[in-house]
Amino acid sequence: MPDPLTTPAAELPVRRLGPEDLDGCLALSQDRAWAREERKWLFLLENAEVYAIDAPSGELAGTVTLTRYGTAAAGIGMMLVATRYGGRGLGRRLMTHVLGTAGDAAVFLWATELGRPLYEKLGFETLGVTEARVGRLRPGGDPVLSRPADLDADLDALLALDAEVFGADRAALLARLFAFAEEIRVVEDETGPTGYAVSWRSMNTLFIGPVVAGGEADARALVTDLARNAEGLVRIEVERTRPSLLAWLGERGVAQAFSTSFMVHGGRALPGDRARMFAPMMLAMG
């Protein structure tokens, strides 16, 4: 096995991982002082394309994920390089590999300040900034304005709504996310569902996303209702182009934890109606 310490990065083989590589992914996360999110990593290994460079020790020297949404769009995430292999071009090698496999899709990602310079060199352009908000959301006495989804009755309508808003086919992934979720809630009018949101748990945190809604009032209602019975922290990612929603979250006790740059390869326009996308599924997938 080539040694990433001595082999040129461009010559290092990249392989696709599977669920059997979960322990290696968790160890790499821990090496980079990231949480050991076993449930999230397993979901990624089962539902995205996870690629890695191996170290001679049998550990993972680096990882990256690619989530395809038909041929129209693809999200990149979980770009991690082990501490001892940093600065040797492994990140570029992994990114070049996934960009080469993404085809003609519009490729997007959320970048930390550490990763952004590499992505810019590879042709990504920043289109916005997203805040990760974490806290114990206080309902504030708001009435319940959404209802639990009935997947037997609602699934087709929710998938059609999501395809319209996201602009690419993610029906298969959403069906698996719905099975993985803690709760799915819906807002509707006389024509049927006009918005939905999902909560899912990783370790002791309840993540909320995606949130799709016709307006901010409905987005707030969905988030509030999903968080009502949360035990512990709630996390949601919201773009800074939504200052009133961010201010509302702050008033309810959900403060900024960190921010990331939303970047698209080549600055391409993404498909869909992003005005109705109030929060992504997860930063690793979109």
Side-chain angles (χ1 to χ4, degrees):
M1 182 181 299
D3 188 344
L5 288 175
T6 58
T7 305
E11 299 177 13
L12 291 170
V14 176
R15 70 176 177 97
R16 183 168 174 180
L17 304 185
E20 67 277 7
D21 295 294
L22 174 62
D23 287 344
C25 295
L26 295 174
L28 180 59
S29 292
Q30 184 172 346
D31 172 76
R32 296 304 314 217
W34 287 26
R36 289 173 59 93
E37 296 182 281
E38 180 173 347
R39 195 162 181 257
K40 177 181 173 181
W41 264 115
L42 188 57
F43 186 81
L44 290 166
L45 288 163
E46 292 176 341
N47 296 293
E49 297 171 25
V50 184
Y51 295 97
I53 293 171
D54 291 305
S57 61
E59 299 175 338
L60 298 178
T63 60
V64 69
T65 65
L66 178 71
T67 306
R68 299 179 192 269
Y69 300 105
T71 59
I76 289 176
M78 306 305 281
M79 235 299 302
L80 287 166
V81 174
T83 305
R84 69 179 301 221
Y85 296 116
R88 297 179 179 275
L90 274 68
R92 177 182 285 271
R93 173 74 178 103
L94 288 163
M95 286 296 298
T96 301
H97 179 82
V98 292
L99 285 172
T101 65
D104 294 328
V107 181
F108 61 89
L109 55 79
W110 280 269
T112 63
E113 284 302 299
L114 182 63
R116 189 159 57 89
L118 169 62
Y119 305 139
E120 288 175 341
K121 291 175 184 176
L122 293 172
F124 284 84
E125 297 181 18
T126 298
L127 299 188
V129 176
T130 299
E131 292 187 10
R133 290 298 190 100
V134 180
R136 296 177 183 270
L137 192 145
R138 299 186 293 269
D142 293 333
V144 176
L145 298 175
S146 67
R147 65 167 174 81
D150 176 352
L151 291 184
D152 289 336
D154 294 328
L155 182 60
D156 288 346
L158 294 184
L159 294 180
L161 173 63
D162 187 83
E164 182 181 333
V165 172
F166 192 76
D169 179 13
R170 57 178 185 173
L173 178 60
L174 282 178
R176 291 190 286 271
L177 177 69
F178 291 166
F180 174 79
E182 292 280 307
E183 188 176 10
I184 309 149
R185 297 194 70 90
V186 174
V187 289
E188 60 191 343
D189 61 17
E190 64 279 0
T191 67
T194 59
Y196 81 94
V198 180
S199 65
W200 51 275
R201 189 168 296 280
S202 181
M203 300 178 67
N204 296 321
T205 300
L206 185 73
F207 286 70
I208 294 179
V211 178
V212 171
E216 186 173 312
D218 281 349
R220 290 185 184 188
L222 287 163
V223 171
T224 299
D225 293 346
L226 285 172
R228 281 182 193 279
N229 299 316
E231 297 180 1
L233 298 175
V234 168
R235 174 171 159 179
I236 184 171
E237 282 85 26
V238 176
E239 293 183 2
R240 283 186 179 162
T241 53
R242 301 190 185 276
S244 61
L245 181 57
L246 290 170
W248 174 80
L249 288 167
E251 292 165 1
R252 297 299 174 93
V254 185
Q256 181 179 343
F258 62 90
S259 64
T260 53
S261 297
F262 181 65
M263 308 184 77
V264 179
H265 194 244
R268 292 173 58 181
L270 292 175
D273 180 6
R274 298 282 158 163
R276 288 187 283 163
M277 181 67 69
F278 283 82
M281 182 186 309
M282 62 177 78
L283 295 185
M285 302 183 89

